[in-house]
């Protein structure tokens, strides 16, 4: 009789098994983690295979509104209402540079939670990463605006102090 699995398999694992991969034979960019001392098993906390971290950090992802980002900018590991927001389920997240509280592209579960209301779901894409039109570009522009506003505010305060 087949044992019941403790953990739900992630999308990556289901796809690899359907393609004929095994515990012993799997792509170089995937890892099967030790089941906390119990040896390598598909029935593990991570849902089976995981992406090799160095590899996934260099992959390109796309937000629902079309911005590109690298895996190193994403968060993976959030679990909310039985949804596992991970690279392995093609549902990592990234902090949205627009910071719009009511974005029609954002998943409703992310939007409702105050701690994730500015996070966007991202999906891996075969598209080549471009800085133009990326999350990174918008974040840099936002940081520059903050620095300019801070510099302008500091100069103004200095004038008020000197005049006083």
């Amino acid at each position: 009789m087949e044992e019941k699995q403790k953990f739900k398999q992630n999308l990556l694992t289901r796809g690899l098994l359907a393609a004929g991969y095994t515990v012993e034979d799997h792509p170089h960019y995937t890892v099967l983690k030790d089941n906390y001392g119990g040896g390598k098993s598909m029935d593990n906390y991570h849902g089976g295979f995981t992406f090799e971290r160095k590899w996934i950090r260099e992959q390109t992802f796309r937000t629902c509104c079309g911005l590109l980002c690298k895996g190193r900018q994403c968060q993976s590991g959030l679990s909310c209402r039985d949804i596992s927001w991970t690279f392995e389920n093609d549902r990592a997240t990234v902090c949205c540079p627009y910071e719009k509280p009511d974005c029609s592209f954002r998943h409703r579960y992310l939007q409702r939670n105050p701690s994730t209301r500015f996070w966007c779901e991202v999906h891996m894409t075969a598209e080549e990463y471009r800085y133009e039109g990326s999350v990174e570009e918008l974040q840099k522009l936002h940081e520059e605006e903050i620095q300019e506003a801070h510099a302008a505010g500091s100069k103004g305060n200095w004038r008020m102090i000197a005049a006083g």
Side-chain angles (χ1 to χ4, degrees), residues 17-74:
L17 291 176
Y21 288 101
T22 65
V23 171
E24 296 82 23
D25 176 36
H26 51 86
H28 70 90
Y29 55 86
T30 62
V31 177
L32 190 60
K33 299 206 175 168
D34 191 331
N35 195 23
Y36 302 106
K40 294 191 185 299
S41 166
M42 293 285 187
D43 189 21
N44 62 37
Y45 174 79
H46 305 284
F49 289 105
T50 60
F51 287 110
E52 196 274 327
R53 290 299 168 215
K54 187 175 181 181
W55 183 86
I56 198 69
R57 290 174 51 81
E58 294 305 315
Q59 300 311 301
T60 303
F61 292 81
R62 176 181 279 285
T63 65
C64 295
C65 69
L67 298 175
L68 297 177
C69 63
K70 286 287 195 175
R72 65 178 168 268
Q73 296 170 290
C74 301

Side-chain angles (χ1 to χ4, degrees), residues 19-147:
Y21 288 101
T22 65
V23 171
E24 296 82 23
D25 176 36
H26 51 86
H28 70 90
Y29 55 86
T30 62
V31 177
L32 190 60
K33 299 206 175 168
D34 191 331
N35 195 23
Y36 302 106
K40 294 191 185 299
S41 166
M42 293 285 187
D43 189 21
N44 62 37
Y45 174 79
H46 305 284
F49 289 105
T50 60
F51 287 110
E52 196 274 327
R53 290 299 168 215
K54 187 175 181 181
W55 183 86
I56 198 69
R57 290 174 51 81
E58 294 305 315
Q59 300 311 301
T60 303
F61 292 81
R62 176 181 279 285
T63 65
C64 295
C65 69
L67 298 175
L68 297 177
C69 63
K70 286 287 195 175
R72 65 178 168 268
Q73 296 170 290
C74 301
Q75 295 91 23
S76 177
L78 173 69
S79 186
C80 177
R81 297 189 181 191
D82 205 30
I83 296 176
S84 188
W85 303 85
T86 65
F87 290 124
E88 292 74 20
N89 284 317
D90 196 26
R91 274 203 154 142
T93 57
V94 69
C95 187
C96 177
Y98 295 122
E99 296 183 354
K100 289 171 37 181
D102 296 320
C103 176
S104 62
F105 293 114
R106 191 173 300 117
H107 193 283
R108 68 182 184 274
Y109 291 167
L110 295 174
Q111 210 161 357
R112 289 181 191 161
N113 188 331
S115 62
T116 61
R117 67 189 174 130
F118 296 128
W119 289 12
C120 296
E121 184 176 329
V122 295
H123 303 282
M124 194 182 306
T125 179
E127 198 172 337
E128 191 169 324
Y129 178 80
R130 295 179 318 281
Y131 179 77
E132 298 78 27
S134 70
V135 169
E136 186 178 10
E137 178 188 35
L138 290 179
Q139 287 172 336
K140 185 172 180 357
L141 290 172
H142 185 65
E143 288 170 16
E144 288 171 358
E145 287 173 2
I146 291 171
Q147 288 174 352

